[in-house]
Amino acid sequence: MEIIYIAILFFAFLSGESKNLKFSTFSLIPHSLLIATSVFLLGYYQKIPSLYLIAGVDFLVRAILMPVLLIIILKQRLERETKPLITHALSIALSVVLLSVIFNLVETLKIQKLPDVLSSFSCGFTLAIYGLFLLISKRDMVKMIIAFFIIENGIHFLIIALIPHLPKGIELALTFNFVVALFLFIYVTLRLNEILVFEEIRKFRESNIFYKSKE
Amino acid sequence: MDFTGFISVLTFSGPMIGSLLVFFFRKNLISSSVSLISIFIAFLCTLLCSFELGKSGQYVIVPLNGFYIDGLSILMQFMAEIVAFFGILYSIKELLKLYEHRKKNFYLFYCAILLSTGFMNLSFMLNNLFLVYISLELSSIVAVYLITFNLSKEALKAGFRYLLIVNIGILFSLVGIVLLFYATEGNVLIADMGQNVRELSKIMAFICAGLFIVGFFTKAGLIPFHTWLPDTYSQAPTAVTVFLSGGITKIGLYGVTRTLTVFSSHLEEIKLLVILLSSVSMLFAAILSFSQKDVKKLIAYTSISEMGIIAGAFAINSYLSIFGGLFHLLNHTLMKATLFFSIGALIYIKGTKIIDELKGIGRENTSTATSFFIGALAVGGLPLFGSFYSSVTIFLAFYQSNMPWTSVLLALSGFISALALLRAATKVFWSNAHPQISLHVPLTLKFCFLFFSFSLILVGIFPQTVYPLLHIAAMGILKIVN
């Protein structure tokens, strides 16, 4: 399982640090697929059938719906990320340190103090913290949505680790909340993109008129 | 299902069914009428629920499995329904003039208000913290549509920030609930909170309380998690601003009451932390209000300051402080509705929120001016208004719990907030500038702000009218704590 968790963190890192937003979005697909797989495997090893359903929902929402919606946003805008608050090199360095240190630290802590908690705990905790780091350091709206998604995935993993027998209804309702929030994110971002594109066109036209009148 | 169960279900299903009807009928007149009627039905059902609670002779009723209705639930529902009702009434004219470009989507605006109110009412009645979380989360997510209704760049940015910060903030409280569930082996019922927290280890209690602080303080817009609030209040239509200040942000305080009040009664350190953070909100928000040029942002900052007072009062955890906190919660709704509705009438006339651009516009609007001054003086906690009694009660509660410095901060923040509001009011209402535009304010708008300013005075002169409900609510909270 550990190799799957490391792969999940790796794809989260790729998604968070890539300058190309399309690549970031596509990196979310293996990230989410691995999440669904790990939930399924946890269900299988721990003999918790309700986790199969959750894995199925995760596959639909996280691995298919989320990337599709992000690609819709990207159709209307540049694929390059808006300049973040910190330099790219520093961001990569901090991310590597953060991901490796927190994952190992929490894993050790979990083995010593929380032996009955499921193995997804350390990965979930690391994802949530990494998502917060992305949220603070990035300024691009798409990257912020990705950061929100990574935090949400982390908390989803935490819930599964701490309460694998959470009633299915509550788990599904939590996913429903996430989907509603996601749709509203997409709605607001698309509308904002429309305005920004419109403003760019207006500025371009004005500058053309200015140069023509000069000539 | 017995009668009590039926009416308690109607309090949240009424607005939800109303939103479905509005979605299908779509016509503007039908949409607004159906919205008003469904909120009124919900209000009547809440009133009946309060009678049932009074008749029961206890401080809690459990009409259906999974429900937990006490005085706080009833009080919160009343406030949500009142601001939703008057918000809809106010928006009828406001939308037609200021948001004409969104004419085709007015029905969706009403749908969103009704859905949000329905989910809010539901979250105030549920017993399981997970379900409370899901319901309050849905209520605040739906409000994004209302905030961004104008579809201007600033409104969309404010909506995006709200969605991001509030969503992530509230996820912290979800982690808190998950931890509590883990530590208590599956019991996250509000009714058992006191018992559960007492049995928690100290370290687990600290972690849970910390997560609840981040989550619910973000939702309530308290400093340092307030960054979404001023822009959101400023960019939303005035009717929505009142709905947000009287309903949506109150959900955060509801969460504080249900969780942090219990934690702070068992752990002195958490009590001190909450009071410290609340004091920071009280003072700094009042100071920040002074530098605002946007009148709605100014009122938003004074609102944060008052939310700090209320959160601090709930943390003290004595009967007096909880009673005062609940009374101030009610007054806060009345004061903010008065201020936002009256200044909204001027924004309706001029179409701007900038204080300097509103200069002189209120000079000949006597009713608007009177209403705004009533709201501003009430914020200062002057006699004749309900806020005087609630502020004095909280002041005494802080003093009795050996925290005189908090009492001083409370008085100081109230004074600064009132000063900032009066400074803006003198510019808007007493300036010599003569705007060359029609100063006609529609009757529905006038009715809304006059209703709330009249209510402020009424509660100030006859505070005993609301005491029974506040008493039941305070006893309900203490019942969980102990």
Side-chain angles (χ1 to χ4, degrees), chain A residues 199-209:
Chain A
E199 269 185 6
E200 285 301 315
I201 294 170
R202 189 173 50 82
K203 274 183 200 165
F204 180 71
R205 276 188 187 150
E206 279 172 6
S207 63
N208 267 358
I209 292 164

Side-chain angles (χ1 to χ4, degrees), chain A residues 116-117 132 135 141 144 148 155 159 162-163 166 173-174 177 180-181 184-185 187-188 191-192 195 199, chain B residues 102 130 133-134 137-138 141 145 151-153 156 160 163-164 167-168 171-172 175 178-179 181-182:
Chain A
D116 53 334
V117 164
L132 277 177
L135 191 76
M141 289 181 87
M144 284 180 169
F148 168 70
I155 287 169
I159 295 175
L162 288 167
I163 15 178
L166 187 69
L174 287 171
N177 270 19
V180 176
L184 276 158
F185 264 123
Y187 169 77
V188 173
R191 291 290 190 173
L192 203 56
I195 290 173
E199 269 185 6
Chain B
R102 302 277 289 143
F130 269 116
Y133 168 85
I134 290 164
E137 170 80 338
L138 278 173
I141 292 174
Y145 185 79
L151 287 188
S152 67
K153 191 173 151 188
L156 287 165
F160 187 83
L163 196 55
L164 200 69
N167 252 307
I168 289 172
L171 276 176
F172 278 87
V175 179
V178 170
L179 275 183
F181 191 97
Y182 175 74

Side-chain angles (χ1 to χ4, degrees), chain B residues 95-113:
Chain B
L95 294 185
L96 275 175
K97 187 178 175 188
L98 298 178
Y99 302 91
E100 210 194 343
H101 58 291
R102 302 277 289 143
K103 205 172 178 179
K104 282 183 182 169
N105 297 81
F106 282 178
Y107 73 99
L108 283 177
F109 178 92
Y110 294 121
C111 271
I113 286 201

